[in-house]
Amino acid sequence: NTKERIDTGSNSDQYIFNVVWTPAGELSFYRVNRLQNHFEVLLREESGVVRTIYEEKSLTYVERPSASTIRFVDGERFIVCEETTAGYNHLYLHSTKRGRLNAITSGRWEVTSVMGIDKGRLYYLSTERSPLGRDLYSVGLNGKGKTCLTHDGGFNTIAPSKGMRYYIRTATAADMPNVVTVHNASDKVIDTLLDNRAAVASRGVWA
């Protein structure tokens, strides 16, 4: 085994974290300065060159980046979740070679988490319907064809399988106890794990 030092820049007073391999087999990592107002995603190419593929700057501070800030789609494209551009947390498609390609989501609401990607469609939870709820949506990487998959509202949590082929949905609301169902990527219910609605209807109270 051989060791190789990766060039992280000349500044010794900085944070280096979220070191991952991209689908193309290249090394990617985050760099944040001591003041935390300059956030960068760097890529170490196969040639050994290290370059910035994404960055955010602020006069005050950049919202704390996490492992979910950047999600690679393939060897070149990646999704960024950030609020600097619009003032709301939204998703943007970027290229390691061409920079920002397009916005995937937009509006006066927040994307709260990305659930997965399947066959060119992105699945995410957001507050678009209500800041008190969470709904699951799917949308093309070009930002088109958005579809809401949780039509009956409530607060939804999603446990996805790899590639979003299946997911477990837990839905609840002020007037409804937990309902837990298993869905495929087309939102077809293939199994019900928990359903208290019948008991509530018969007793007139929460189960």
Side-chain angles (χ1 to χ4, degrees), residues 9-197:
S10 59
N11 186 0
S12 60
D13 193 14
Q14 60 187 358
Y15 303 99
I16 302 295
F17 58 105
N18 199 48
V19 181
V20 298
W21 294 105
T22 74
E26 296 173 317
L27 193 70
S28 173
F29 59 93
Y30 291 179
R31 181 169 68 191
V32 179
N33 64 342
R34 182 68 174 179
L35 294 177
Q36 298 186 45
N37 62 1
H38 188 192
F39 162 54
E40 298 171 274
V41 180
L42 294 103
L43 184 71
R44 194 271 187 188
E45 298 177 332
E46 188 176 356
S47 64
V49 173
V50 177
R51 60 185 180 88
T52 300
I53 59 173
Y54 175 76
E55 67 178 331
E56 289 183 52
K57 293 181 179 180
S58 172
L59 294 177
T60 53
Y61 69 96
V62 174
E63 188 70 25
R64 186 172 181 86
S66 66
S68 61
T69 302
I70 303 294
R71 181 187 292 258
F72 278 90
V73 177
D74 49 39
E76 179 184 342
R77 297 177 302 168
F78 60 97
I79 295 166
V80 177
C81 187
E82 56 100 340
E83 68 175 3
T84 301
T85 299
Y88 294 88
N89 211 42
H90 280 295
L91 304 172
Y92 303 87
L93 185 65
H94 284 250
S95 165
T96 59
K97 301 176 181 178
R98 295 173 287 158
R100 177 168 291 183
L101 301 178
N102 59 265
I104 301 175
T105 63
S106 63
R108 296 173 63 86
W109 44 269
E110 306 273 354
V111 172
T112 58
S113 56
V114 174
M115 294 290 99
I117 303 171
D118 178 65
K119 298 179 181 178
R121 292 193 67 79
L122 177 67
Y123 295 78
Y124 64 92
L125 288 171
S126 82
T127 62
E128 182 170 359
R129 177 183 52 83
S130 167
L132 301 179
R134 296 292 184 274
D135 284 297
L136 178 65
Y137 289 82
S138 73
V139 66
L141 295 179
N142 59 1
K144 298 179 180 180
K146 182 174 70 174
T147 302
C148 181
L149 302 177
T150 48
H151 308 287
D152 49 355
F155 194 102
N156 295 277
T157 57
I158 303 296
S161 68
K162 185 176 181 180
M164 202 64 193
R165 294 183 59 192
Y166 302 95
Y167 61 90
I168 297 174
R169 174 196 177 194
T170 301
T172 189
D175 57 352
M176 182 182 75
N178 287 359
V179 176
V180 183
T181 47
V182 181
H183 302 246
N184 62 18
S186 300
D187 196 40
K188 179 181 179 181
V189 178
I190 59 177
D191 197 6
T192 298
L193 303 181
L194 177 66
D195 188 349
N196 285 325
R197 287 175 294 193

